[in-house]
């Protein structure tokens, strides 16, 4: 098992920018794409993800200090620290069950495809960490029950695949990503709650008449409604709330404007590599199975280039911080996952057809539930992190919006606690 774990960890340490091109190349060859074209597509997708990660790095590097400044300026005192998805992923991969769960989850996906239970072929192996985290949750709560841990991971995976299937037409219509679905665990979980919440928000008199998508905003406000300018304005406001000086406010604004300007271009590069594979897969399946449809499951990063998504995510940063303070029963101080909010709201924004006002209201409600769940999840989350992550000063427990505030993982937690009580 140690040898298997070492091999798995080596592959995972290569990161998605290496893993994804390899997966794309293999899948392209299966769908009879010529080797040269398949290799170019895989490398283009890898380069696209490098670009996306660079832009996300700018987002994280700027939002993190701004959030910390807001916390210090307004004297927020919460004892559970949101350490973000990277630490949660590290803890999941470090769990004893992680090595065996990777091949199991791949085989489950292939079996479900064969049985036509799902249409999604999840090639985003890096984000299998969400499934592993569910397994690790079951493992910890049941004091090391391997079989139950495997069951938890499979149940979580099935839920993500089914949600990805159901929302794929929405992803195609709004983001223009034909043949792509989003089985990313956090995106699916937040969408599961956020879509019905958004539909209710969209029926509220007055709010349902507000047309606040990026195109309408740009038409009304001219250059100040362009995505780049929206990023500059939102970034400047966040910096102002953090008590920044004039020079730093301007820097923050420019950096957030750069994120809004560059992210769509990085996603466009990625899509240049995806489109040939998607078309080849569709032709291959139509020739052999008629109207059988298969979606390529991708990281929700492919949706973060949309201006409505980025604007909603940025606006929710200060809202999330203030919500954490005023929400009764919450003990989580949002921090590490603030820059990941665009991933959480991807399906919500698509469902609201890019209406930023409705998306922000819906996102606020969903994040309120996420904070409560993350607070409830903190003891198990903290146990999972021991030996993997160094506790920040002043933190009594650790959690995250991505894993602890994830509805699907929270359901797994409650299921595990119920089974543990029986055992």
């Amino acid at each position: 098992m140690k040898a298997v774990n070492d091999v798995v960890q080596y592959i995972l340490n290569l990161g998605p920018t290496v893993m994804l091109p390899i997966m794309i190349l293999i899948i392209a060859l299966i769908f009879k794409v010529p080797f040269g074209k398949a290799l170019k597509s895989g490398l283009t997708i890898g380069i696209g993800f490098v670009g996306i990660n660079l832009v996300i790095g700018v987002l994280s590097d700027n939002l993190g200090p701004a959030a910390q400044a807001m916390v210090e300026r307004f004297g927020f005192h919460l004892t559970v620290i949101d350490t973000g998805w990277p630490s949660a992923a590290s803890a999941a991969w470090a769990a004893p069950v992680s090595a065996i769960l990777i091949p199991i989850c791949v085989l489950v996906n292939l079996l479900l495809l064969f049985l036509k239970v799902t249409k999604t072929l999840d090639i985003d192996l890096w984000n299998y960490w969400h499934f592993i985290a569910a397994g690790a949750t079951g493992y910890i709560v049941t004091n090391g029950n391997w079989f139950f841990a495997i069951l938890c991971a499979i149940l979580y995976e099935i839920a993500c695949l089914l949600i990805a299937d159901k929302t794929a037409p929405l992803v195609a219509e709004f983001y223009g990503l034909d043949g792509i679905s989003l089985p990313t665990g956090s995106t699916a979980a937040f969408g599961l709650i956020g879509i019905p919440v958004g539909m209710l928000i969209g029926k509220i008199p007055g709010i349902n008449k507000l047309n606040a998508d990026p195109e309408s905003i740009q038409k009304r406000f001219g250059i100040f409604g362009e995505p780049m300018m929206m990023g500059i304005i939102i970034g400047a406001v966040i910096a102002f709330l953090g008590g920044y000086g004039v020079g730093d406010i301007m820097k923050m604004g420019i950096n957030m404007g750069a994120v809004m300007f560059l992210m769509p271009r990085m996603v466009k590069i990625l899509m240049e590599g995806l489109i040939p594979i998607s078309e080849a897969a569709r032709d291959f399946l139509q020739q052999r199975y008629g109207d059988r449809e298969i979606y390529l499951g991708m990281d929700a990063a492919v949706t973060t280039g949309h201006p409505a998504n980025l604007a909603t995510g940025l606006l929710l940063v200060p809202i999330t911080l203030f919500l954490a303070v005023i929400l009764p029963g919450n003990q989580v101080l949002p921090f590490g996952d603030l820059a990941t909010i665009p991933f959480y709201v991807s399906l919500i924004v698509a469902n609201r057809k890019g209406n930023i006002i409705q998306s922000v209201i819906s996102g606020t409600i969903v994040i309120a539930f996420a904070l409560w769940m993350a607070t409830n999840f903190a003891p198990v989350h903290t146990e999972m992190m021991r030996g993997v992550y160094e506790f920040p000063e002043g933190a009594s427990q650790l959690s995250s919006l991505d894993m602890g505030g994830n509805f699907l993982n929270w359901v797994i937690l409650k299921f595990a606690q119920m089974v543990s009580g029986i055992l």
Side-chain angles (χ1 to χ4, degrees):
M1 184 58 68
K2 183 180 184 303
V4 172
N5 187 63
D6 289 343
V7 171
V8 170
Q9 290 300 326
Y10 175 79
I11 295 173
L12 292 172
N13 288 337
L14 295 175
T17 56
V18 174
M19 290 171 56
L20 193 57
I22 294 172
M23 290 296 298
I24 289 291
L25 175 61
I26 294 171
I27 290 168
L29 293 175
I30 292 174
F31 289 136
K32 308 297 184 183
V33 178
F35 179 81
K37 188 176 181 180
L39 179 62
K40 182 179 179 181
S41 291
L43 293 175
T44 302
I45 290 170
I47 290 168
F49 260 101
V50 169
I52 289 172
N53 287 338
L54 287 173
V55 178
I56 291 175
V58 174
L59 184 65
S60 300
D61 291 346
N62 284 272
L63 279 183
Q68 186 65 38
M70 274 190 271
V71 168
E72 294 173 357
R73 186 183 185 197
F74 293 99
F76 298 163
H77 296 291
L78 297 166
T79 57
V80 179
I81 305 299
D82 163 27
T83 56
W85 72 265
S87 60
S90 298
W93 291 125
V97 293
S98 65
I100 192 65
L101 282 176
I102 292 289
I104 288 176
C105 288
V106 171
L107 289 173
V108 167
N109 188 190
L110 294 175
L111 178 62
L112 294 176
L113 268 174
F114 178 77
L115 296 175
K116 298 184 178 181
V117 175
T118 182
K119 298 178 181 179
T120 293
L121 174 61
D122 189 358
I123 63 174
D124 184 20
L125 284 181
W126 170 254
N127 270 310
Y128 275 44
W129 79 261
H130 288 99
F131 310 153
I132 311 303
T137 299
Y139 182 86
I140 289 172
V141 174
T142 58
N143 296 314
N145 189 314
W146 281 67
F147 293 105
F148 184 73
I150 292 170
L151 174 63
C152 289
I154 290 174
L155 290 174
Y156 190 105
E157 178 183 18
I158 292 172
C160 288
L161 293 173
L162 294 178
I163 294 171
D165 284 351
K166 192 70 174 178
T167 55
L170 187 65
V171 171
E173 178 185 356
F174 183 73
Y175 293 110
L177 301 174
D178 292 319
I180 303 298
S181 66
L182 308 178
T184 305
S186 52
T187 303
F190 277 76
L192 182 63
I193 300 177
I195 288 177
V197 168
M199 294 172 70
L200 290 174
I201 295 298
K203 295 182 182 299
I204 298 176
I207 294 178
N208 61 355
K209 301 296 184 183
L210 293 175
N211 191 15
D213 58 87
E215 292 78 13
S216 300
I217 292 173
Q218 185 173 346
K219 185 176 179 180
R220 176 180 290 269
F221 296 103
I223 186 175
F224 292 100
E226 292 184 5
M228 174 182 66
M229 293 302 297
M230 284 194 291
I232 291 173
I233 293 168
I234 295 171
V237 170
I238 291 173
F240 174 78
L241 291 173
Y244 283 24
V246 174
D248 289 333
I249 288 175
M250 293 172 65
K251 288 180 183 178
M252 181 71 168
I254 292 295
N255 284 329
M256 293 302 98
V259 169
M260 294 286 283
F261 184 82
L262 292 174
M263 186 68 87
R265 286 155 175 77
M266 298 302 103
V267 173
K268 185 178 180 182
I269 292 172
L270 186 145
M271 290 309 301
E272 287 178 11
L274 266 181
I275 289 172
I277 310 302
S278 180
E279 291 176 348
R282 184 176 62 246
D283 294 342
F284 180 89
L285 292 168
Q286 285 179 346
Q287 290 173 8
R288 287 161 179 77
Y289 304 106
D291 59 353
R292 176 79 193 274
E293 189 174 26
I294 288 183
Y295 304 126
L296 293 181
M298 293 289 294
D299 191 321
V302 298
T303 67
T304 56
H306 198 286
N309 194 336
L310 282 172
T312 299
L314 289 176
L315 288 169
L316 282 170
V317 169
I319 291 174
T320 299
L321 281 168
F322 287 110
L323 188 64
V325 176
I326 66 172
L327 194 66
N330 173 61
Q331 290 298 316
V332 174
L333 176 62
F335 181 69
D337 275 330
L338 290 175
T340 322
I341 292 176
F343 288 76
Y344 306 156
V345 299
S346 289
L347 296 176
I348 299 172
V349 172
N351 176 259
R352 293 297 85 215
K353 302 186 185 303
N355 189 310
I356 295 172
I357 293 176
Q358 293 184 17
S359 297
V360 168
I361 296 172
S362 304
T364 300
I365 295 171
V366 173
I367 287 175
F369 284 106
L371 289 168
W372 276 324
M373 289 184 287
T375 298
N376 184 249
F377 210 113
V380 173
H381 201 300
T382 302
E383 182 63 29
M384 194 181 300
M385 302 286 284
R386 291 194 187 281
V388 178
Y389 189 83
E390 185 177 344
F391 279 48
E393 185 178 347
S396 61
Q397 291 183 317
L398 305 178
S399 193
S400 66
L401 293 178
D402 198 300
M403 191 180 89
N406 176 317
F407 177 69
L408 293 177
N409 214 34
W410 184 78
V411 170
I412 291 292
L413 172 67
K414 297 296 114 177
F415 176 47
Q417 288 173 339
M418 180 185 71
V419 170
S420 178
I422 296 173
L423 297 176

